[in-house]
């Protein structure tokens, strides 16, 4: 599944990071096997002209008349965004990060600070932007948004995102790991049923 193994064979004693990596990796493989499903990388599900990437690195001074930016603290636990009191940056800074200028129904995921918080971009934040603490996921098929958001909140997806941080304090999600998260390929009707069952619970 991954191209960056953490198996150290030349250490004089058992390496805790290596052991933890192998333990979690085995658990991921076993879990995927029992799903009886094919898997696709998350990167393969996004729009062709898009990329899973983070936002503005340095926002500079606040511009009261500028472009709203979404920070991690603006992402609520219920997958919504608190649009009141968003910080604003100059249009020139936002345009420098054109790859993360938001469109309605984009998916945001926090990758630093509070890890793995998910939200869908509402219409009112069209043409806004994000900070480097969040990543943008723009799916080809917006009808799968609810399922993908639910899946990204699952233990299986969260373990994949933080696999290479196991055994150490998790400071963030690597974009390379996020792009390679394996998503089960299942029929739309089954996606809907999973969402309905989850909501019932």
């Amino acid at each position: 599944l991954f191209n960056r193994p953490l198996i150290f064979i030349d250490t004089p004693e058992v390496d805790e990071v290596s052991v933890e990596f192998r333990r979690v990796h085995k658990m991921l493989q076993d879990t995927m096997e029992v799903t009886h499903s094919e898997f696709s990388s998350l990167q393969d599900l996004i729009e062709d002209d898009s990329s899973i990437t983070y936002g503005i690195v340095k926002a500079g001074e606040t511009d009261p008349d500028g472009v709203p930016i979404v920070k991690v603290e603006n992402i609520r636990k219920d997958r919504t965004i608190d649009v009141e009191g968003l910080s604003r940056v100059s249009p020139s800074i936002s345009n420098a990060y054109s790859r993360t200028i938001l469109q309605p129904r984009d998916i945001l995921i926090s990758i630093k600070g509070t890890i793995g918080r998910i939200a869908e971009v509402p219409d009112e934040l069209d043409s806004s932007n994000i900070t480097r603490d969040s990543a943008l996921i723009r799916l080809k098929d917006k009808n799968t948004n609810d399922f993908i958001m639910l899946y990204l909140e699952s233990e299986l997806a969260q373990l994949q995102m933080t696999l290479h941080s196991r055994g150490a304090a998790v400071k963030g999600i690597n974009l390379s790991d996020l792009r390679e998260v394996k998503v089960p390929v299942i029929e739309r009707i089954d996606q809907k049923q999973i969402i309905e069952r989850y909501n019932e619970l």
Side-chain angles (χ1 to χ4, degrees), residues 51-120:
S51 178
I52 298 176
T53 188
Y54 57 77
I56 297 171
V57 176
K58 293 184 178 181
E61 295 184 4
T62 300
D63 183 347
D65 301 316
V67 177
I69 54 172
V70 178
K71 299 179 179 179
V72 171
E73 54 262 37
N74 304 126
I75 301 177
R76 296 178 173 139
K77 293 181 180 179
D78 62 355
R79 301 185 194 157
T80 62
I81 298 172
D82 182 3
V83 299
E84 300 296 328
L86 292 177
S87 297
R88 292 175 177 266
V89 298
S90 68
S92 60
I93 290 178
S94 180
N95 290 335
Y97 293 86
S98 58
R99 61 189 180 179
T100 52
I101 292 177
L102 301 179
Q103 298 177 11
R105 304 213 67 191
D106 283 344
I107 295 173
L108 304 181
I109 179 170
S110 57
I111 57 175
K112 293 184 182 297
T114 303
I115 305 300
R117 191 167 288 182
I118 312 285
E120 186 178 72

Side-chain angles (χ1 to χ4, degrees), residues 2-39:
F2 301 94
N3 297 319
R4 295 189 296 139
L6 293 177
I7 309 303
F8 307 116
I9 60 175
D10 59 346
T11 52
E13 57 189 20
V14 175
D15 180 81
E16 291 183 4
V17 175
S18 178
V19 170
E20 176 69 358
F21 175 88
R22 281 179 284 182
R23 184 188 71 80
V24 176
H25 192 274
K26 178 66 164 57
M27 183 167 58
L28 284 170
Q29 288 181 318
D30 291 345
T31 305
M32 288 179 174
E33 184 176 343
V34 299
T35 62
H36 304 292
S37 174
E38 297 293 328
F39 283 82

Side-chain angles (χ1 to χ4, degrees), residues 138-149:
R138 182 171 294 155
L139 298 176
K140 296 176 186 176
D141 185 357
K142 304 297 188 297
N143 292 321
T144 63
N145 269 23
D146 288 340
F147 174 75
I148 296 298
M149 287 191 291

